[in-house]
Amino acid sequence: MRVLLTGSSGFIGSHVAEALECEVVPADLRTGVDVRDGAALDRLLPGVDAVIHQAAKVGLGVDVADLPDYASVNAYGTATLLAAMARHGVGRLVLASSMVVYGEGAYDCPRHGRVRPGPRRLEDLAEGLFDPRCPLCGSVLSPSVIAEDAPLDPRNAYATTKLTQEHLAANWARETGGTAVALRYHNVYGPRMPRNTPYAGVASIFLSALLSGRPPQVFEDGGQRRDFVHVRDVARANVLALGAGTAGALTAYNIASGTPHTVGDLAAALAAHIGGPDPVTTGAYRLGDVRHIVASPARAVADLGFTAGISFEDGMKEFALR
């Protein structure tokens, strides 16, 4: 098999390149290829059997000034790639999507059962009340696990463009008969994770602070629940996804460990491995953030045979000490 890998030298893409046991055609800015450049893609796609699309502008964004870049790289870039794949008869796509397409996770109300909360209220956040409320009765909700058929509700520029990528890929699959698999990554961490940028992930931000001798600044009360999944497990999921999916459709999978931890747990684990200083819980918040997002990986287990193999404890130790 010959696979075109976009974002091939990036954080996740470089690990996917190492995990693939086939011919890899690299495509990213370091190799002089922008996915928005159809002519460049035309030079690479002949003879390619599948595309793994990792290239993207990541992070939650700094402010609305980021909107054009997110739309250009993530939406227009994916559209350009799909059009080129159609020109060259490449019929298999694995797309790097994200948990952010869900917005908030799944929640249960003590009176109304499973409900979908709206955005958290500013007055609650200002008072340190961080958990979402039931839209029907106002009760504080309990978090549950979210599956791939949950309603999608992107709440920032990055999330909106990741969902756009999924819609574009589904459109391509329907029109060409191709097979599209969207891997909804949860909180990916591990070696080569970008650091010291406004778009870095929370694990990288905490580690950068600790290595500079500063305590990690934990937003809200530190109780935000996430699923932290190691990058090598994510890379293996991409390899497995090359053999999955249904012709003419897009199939989405949660790629997660299945074992949630809080953001406070993350900060404490990294501080312990580095040797301090202890994290500081600030109570600060960002409107684009969600409270809890915990996945059910059951579909990936059943269809892909994917189970995360690196534990939170082992992965965090490696990440902190490399």
Side-chain angles (χ1 to χ4, degrees), residues 35-321:
V35 291
R36 294 168 291 186
D37 184 347
L41 296 171
D42 285 336
R43 293 191 293 271
L44 296 177
L45 281 168
V48 163
D49 301 297
V51 172
I52 297 180
H53 184 29
Q54 300 290 325
K57 183 176 176 67
V58 299
L60 296 182
V62 176
D63 55 39
V64 293
D66 281 330
L67 288 172
D69 279 347
Y70 278 106
S72 177
V73 176
N74 296 352
Y76 180 73
T78 299
T80 302
L81 173 64
L82 293 168
M85 289 173 64
R87 288 195 297 274
H88 294 276
V90 181
R92 182 168 290 276
L93 172 72
V94 177
L95 171 68
S97 187
S98 172
M99 65 173 190
V100 295
V101 301
Y102 297 116
E104 283 285 358
Y107 292 88
D108 294 320
C109 171
R111 291 178 56 191
H112 297 100
R114 181 61 49 89
V115 295
R116 190 70 175 164
R120 292 180 293 174
R121 302 186 305 189
L122 271 174
E123 54 268 35
D124 284 346
L125 294 172
E127 293 178 13
L129 304 174
F130 299 115
D131 286 307
R133 294 179 178 273
C134 176
L136 301 175
C137 69
S139 298
V140 173
L141 298 174
S142 300
S144 185
V145 295
I146 198 160
E148 291 86 352
D149 57 358
L152 304 180
D153 184 21
R155 297 189 178 183
N156 55 60
Y158 174 62
T160 299
T161 55
K162 295 308 286 185
L163 181 53
T164 300
Q165 286 183 316
E166 289 197 18
H167 287 321
L168 290 167
N171 180 245
W172 165 84
R174 285 191 299 269
E175 293 196 17
T176 66
T179 300
V181 174
L183 302 181
R184 292 176 179 163
Y185 302 156
H186 285 251
N187 287 70
V188 186
Y189 72 96
R192 304 173 208 151
M193 191 174 187
R195 289 177 31 202
N196 300 318
T197 83
Y199 307 97
V202 66
S204 183
I205 292 169
F206 289 168
L207 183 60
S208 292
L210 286 161
L211 293 176
S212 299
R214 295 178 286 108
Q217 302 292 301
V218 181
F219 279 19
E220 301 186 11
D221 60 359
Q224 309 93 305
R225 297 173 80 233
R226 299 288 189 270
D227 190 307
F228 298 97
V229 59
H230 196 278
V231 67
R232 288 198 297 274
D233 283 328
V234 171
R236 184 164 50 83
N238 276 269
V239 176
L240 293 169
L242 285 170
T246 302
L250 178 139
T251 308
Y253 294 97
N254 285 323
I255 302 302
S257 72
T259 305
H261 291 82
T262 68
V263 174
D265 292 338
L266 169 68
L270 292 174
H273 290 305
I274 293 293
D278 291 336
V280 173
T281 302
T282 67
Y285 56 86
R286 297 184 298 186
L287 291 180
D289 287 347
V290 298
R291 178 60 173 170
H292 304 295
I293 176 73
V294 176
S296 167
R299 181 186 289 181
V301 173
D303 290 5
L304 305 182
F306 170 77
T307 301
I310 300 173
S311 70
F312 179 82
E313 293 75 16
D314 289 344
M316 287 299 162
K317 181 178 181 180
E318 177 199 23
F319 181 54
L321 300 180

